[in-house]
Each structure stands twice: as C-alpha cells, then as structure tokens.
Amino acid sequence: MQLDIIIPVLMSCALLWWVGRAMTWTARLTVAVVTLVLIACVLLFERTGR
C-alpha cells in the first residue's frame, strides 16, 4: 500500500477513537465506513484529475 492511502486511514482511525469514546459501537462503525468512503472518493478524484 502507498502512503497516500495509509496516512489518511491512520489519521481517521485516531480521530474516530478520540471523538468516538462516547459513541455506541454502531455509530462508530458508521462513522468509520463513511470516513473511509470519503477518503477513497478524494483519492480517486485526485488520481483522475492528473
């Protein structure tokens, strides 16, 4: 895997842990999935824009 994929995933996991301490497990999973989808969309947009 490349760093442009690993770094955003690690940062989003850290942010989810910090924010999600008071959240239920289903809310945490939902936020994690939405975050990963947004990261994937941004990466796809960047790669096609070049």
Side-chain angles (χ1 to χ4, degrees):
M1 293 176 75
Q2 298 174 344
L3 285 180
D4 60 342
I5 296 172
I6 294 172
I7 299 299
V9 169
L10 288 177
M11 290 178 67
S12 64
C13 288
L15 182 62
L16 179 63
W17 174 80
W18 184 69
V19 171
R21 289 180 288 180
M23 299 171 81
T24 62
W25 279 104
T26 53
R28 288 183 192 180
L29 289 175
T30 303
V31 170
V33 168
V34 168
T35 303
L36 291 175
V37 167
L38 288 174
I39 290 170
C41 289
V42 168
L43 289 174
L44 287 173
F45 180 75
E46 284 182 357
R47 290 174 187 238
T48 57
R50 293 182 186 178

